[in-house]
Amino acid sequence: MTPQTNLVVFEHPLIQHKLTYLRERSTSSRAFRALMAQIAGLMVYEVTRAFPHDPVEIDTPLETMTGTRLRGTITVVPVLRAGLGMAEGVLDIMPEARVGHLGLARDERTLQPRAYLNKLPRDLDAGPVILVDPMLATGGSAAAALGMLRDAGARDLRLMCVVAAPEGIARIRQTEPDLVIYAAALDQSLNERGFIVPGLGDAGDRLYGTV
Ligand code: PRP
């Protein structure tokens, strides 16, 4: 972790291997969905390392011992649409987590996000909350989503994305200086259309074949 920025970039070769296929133009929607879920699953394994946990006494068939249980209720919040592709992989690893949904669409011209859905559990402060969105471009969508989560009561919060641009990280830092951001890659920059380069294209379109 880089202490100054609370940014964790995964350099694990298996994640990078899958990310490289994800980026490739020739990767089909079907493969793209599978890779996105697998990368999110691998990332959440590391993200949960920092989760609060408690010792718990259990009986094995042979004797009593002290095991470990994660504390509180974990909530995964995908930003629609593309975040759904990551949430699936997180739930494969952590099926006990619950899911809140935030719908945000970025205007292609102004690059401003427009919220169209907010369906969150009432007690968001009941445990850790992971916001998932594969792309952190200008950071406008993630900043809006984080604001919605804070308004809804989230306290223990972190952001997980696949590809981040420096502009997006800087945008989040304006309102959330201490939030830990997890990314599979920190890319070079944004192009004139607000796309991350080299990036992986439009994640929502590639996931759902709407290119
Ligand atoms: C994309 C992406 C992020 C957002 C990133 O979603 O999945 O949510 O844009 O851009 P930003 O950091 O500049 O806000 P989009 O609005 O295209 O919607 P979609 O997932 O439904 O395709």
Side-chain angles (χ1 to χ4, degrees):
M1 187 187 303
T2 318
Q4 312 90 302
T5 56
N6 292 325
L7 172 67
V8 180
V9 179
F10 290 85
E11 275 149 19
H12 196 290
L14 183 58
I15 293 181
Q16 294 307 315
H17 169 85
K18 290 177 185 294
L19 176 59
T20 302
Y21 279 110
L22 195 76
R23 288 182 188 275
E24 265 190 297
R25 177 198 286 271
S26 59
T27 297
S28 68
S29 264
R30 183 179 178 170
F32 193 91
R33 276 195 301 276
L35 288 161
M36 181 73 83
Q38 289 161 13
I39 290 170
L42 290 167
M43 287 176 74
V44 84
Y45 175 73
E46 190 55 35
V47 171
T48 49
R49 183 189 290 276
F51 277 17
H53 49 86
D54 298 308
V56 57
E57 199 159 284
I58 58 155
D59 296 321
T60 76
L62 299 175
E63 60 179 26
T64 299
M65 65 159 284
T66 305
T68 298
R69 290 235 170 90
L70 291 173
R71 192 186 312 150
T73 306
I74 298 168
T75 308
V76 183
V77 180
V79 176
L80 273 50
R81 288 173 301 169
L84 289 171
M86 291 181 77
E88 195 187 310
V90 172
L91 290 173
D92 279 347
I93 303 292
M94 231 168 26
E96 61 272 56
R98 59 186 182 174
V99 183
H101 293 88
L102 292 178
L104 290 165
R106 191 175 79 155
D107 184 287
E108 282 182 15
R109 200 176 45 83
T110 65
L111 302 183
Q112 294 306 307
R114 179 182 59 82
Y116 60 87
L117 180 76
N118 181 337
K119 202 82 187 163
L120 299 169
R122 252 174 262 238
D123 55 340
L124 266 185
D125 60 350
V129 178
I130 313 174
L131 178 67
V132 297
D133 189 338
M135 318 294 295
L136 184 64
T138 66
S141 303
L146 290 165
M148 291 160 89
L149 291 172
R150 293 292 188 202
D151 288 348
R155 282 188 306 193
D156 184 6
L157 187 57
R158 69 274 298 140
L159 169 64
M160 205 169 102
C161 51
V162 174
V163 181
E167 293 89 335
I169 305 279
R171 172 74 183 77
I172 300 301
R173 288 290 165 249
Q174 290 172 10
T175 48
E176 292 276 356
D178 300 323
L179 182 94
V180 182
I181 302 173
Y182 297 88
L186 178 60
D187 273 14
Q188 212 173 295
S189 59
L190 297 180
N191 68 11
E192 63 292 348
R193 289 172 54 219
F195 273 83
I196 302 171
V197 284
L200 43 78
D202 185 316
D205 283 343
R206 294 195 65 187
L207 274 167
Y208 299 113
T210 50
V211 185

